[in-house]
């Protein structure tokens, strides 16, 4: 809780629970769990009650619709099929595919009309925008050779996409408008690496995870003879 600078544990199952995301009203958490034996999408209330399994495939990367009624997610390779973006209702209903092409890492726009994702064409990966009704992307953007980690986030007004780029050998967060203009950097760090990030709900703040690698030369004595062990 950023207001009280405190934290509390939400899941206690011995299985792996990861990639949590919270609905816009702050009442529901969706996450990936292996408690059924394979990675699937689950949901529960913020008070840790009412945990329910929503999918049964090898699924990951949940992203809530703004009204909290459904979740977009990535269905991983099953029976030699490629990664694809699907959606599933929170209350009742079966998962259904949103795209028949090779797509991954969905992010639902704040206005609920589009999904940003990565799309593999016949030649290369692109950053794409597809309508929530499915079909082929309505907008695509080429990825630079320094594009990093395939993390995409919407701006609060649903008019731009933010991502991580390693231009100049240092990772920073960049913003790509959907309609006009070239991408521009939002951060300008001189060193280190950003591995993930996200906006506050109102879009006024940006949080990120930034790491710095340290390399040391270590000498290890590999002489394990009995007289040396004594």
């Amino acid at each position: 809780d950023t207001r009280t600078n405190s934290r509390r544990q939400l899941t206690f199952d011995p299985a792996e629970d990861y990639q949590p995301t919270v609905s816009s009203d702050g009442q529901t958490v969706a996450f990936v769990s292996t408690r059924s034996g394979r990675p699937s999408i689950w949901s529960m209330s913020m008070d840790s009650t009412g945990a329910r399994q929503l999918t049964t495939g090898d699924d990951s990367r949940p992203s809530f619709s703004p009204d909290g009624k459904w979740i977009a997610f990535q269905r991983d390779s099953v029976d030699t099929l490629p990664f694809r973006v699907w959606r599933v209702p929170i209350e009742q209903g079966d998962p259904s595919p949103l795209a028949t092409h090779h797509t991954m890492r969905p992010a639902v726009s704040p206005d609920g009309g589009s999904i940003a994702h990565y799309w593999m064409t016949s030649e290369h990966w692109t950053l794409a925008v597809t309508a929530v009704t499915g079909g082929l992307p309505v907008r695509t953007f080429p990825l630079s050779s320094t594009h990093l980690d395939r993390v995409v986030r919407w701006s609060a007004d649903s008019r731009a996409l933010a991502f991580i780029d390693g231009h100049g050998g240092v990772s920073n967060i960049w913003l790509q408008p959907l309609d006009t203009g070239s991408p521009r950097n939002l951060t300008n760090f001189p060193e280190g690496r950003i591995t993930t990030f996200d906006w506050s709900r109102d879009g006024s703040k940006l949080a990120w995870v930034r790491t710095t690698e340290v390399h040391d030369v270590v000498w290890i004595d590999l002489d394990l003879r009995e007289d040396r062990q004594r």
Side-chain angles (χ1 to χ4, degrees):
D1 191 324
T2 56
R3 296 167 298 182
T4 61
N5 197 29
S6 61
R7 63 179 183 172
R8 62 185 177 87
Q9 187 173 344
L10 294 179
T11 63
F12 300 88
D13 194 280
E16 291 185 66
D17 299 326
Y18 53 98
Q19 294 177 2
T21 183
V22 180
S23 60
S24 58
D25 62 6
Q27 299 301 307
T28 307
V29 181
F31 56 99
V32 180
S33 179
T34 61
R35 60 185 69 185
S36 66
R38 61 194 302 187
S40 302
I41 307 299
W42 288 64
S43 70
M44 68 178 182
S45 300
M46 280 295 289
D47 61 2
S48 299
T49 63
R52 295 191 305 114
Q53 184 175 0
L54 302 181
T55 71
T56 58
D58 289 322
D59 305 319
S60 60
R61 308 287 175 181
S63 177
F64 267 106
S65 63
D67 60 9
K69 293 183 178 181
W70 56 273
I71 291 172
F73 65 93
Q74 172 184 314
R75 174 149 288 180
D76 292 350
S77 180
V78 178
D79 296 330
T80 71
L81 295 176
F83 297 158
R84 288 179 178 169
V85 173
W86 288 54
R87 64 183 286 174
V88 62
I90 284 292
E91 295 301 329
Q92 292 183 345
D94 296 324
S96 58
L98 276 170
T100 58
H101 39 280
H102 193 164
T103 53
M104 64 187 302
R105 302 206 174 195
V108 183
S109 63
D111 64 10
S114 304
I115 295 177
H117 57 84
Y118 289 89
W119 176 38
M120 170 61 87
T121 69
S122 59
E123 299 178 350
H124 48 69
W125 282 101
T126 63
L127 183 56
V129 176
T130 297
V132 295
T133 53
L136 292 173
V138 295
R139 295 296 306 272
T140 60
F141 303 94
L143 301 185
S144 72
S145 60
T146 53
H147 192 96
L148 297 175
D149 295 311
R150 293 182 183 172
V151 179
V152 59
R153 304 284 186 252
W154 287 90
S155 61
D157 60 7
S158 299
R159 298 174 61 183
L161 300 176
F163 57 88
I164 304 172
D165 196 277
H167 179 74
V170 180
S171 63
N172 278 287
I173 301 171
W174 289 65
L175 190 70
Q176 170 66 64
L178 293 188
D179 49 5
T180 60
S182 300
R184 61 181 178 86
N185 57 310
L186 295 178
T187 63
N188 193 28
F189 292 114
E191 60 182 11
R193 178 180 179 184
I194 297 174
T195 57
T196 190
F197 70 98
D198 211 342
W199 300 96
S200 61
R201 189 68 64 186
D202 61 3
S204 63
K205 297 180 178 65
L206 191 63
W208 57 82
V209 176
R210 183 165 169 260
T211 63
T212 300
E213 294 184 1
V214 177
H215 300 273
D216 290 313
V217 176
V218 179
W219 179 78
I220 301 175
D221 189 350
L222 298 179
D223 191 346
L224 301 179
R225 292 176 301 178
E226 184 177 352
D227 58 338
R228 291 295 302 275
Q229 292 180 11
R230 295 175 181 174

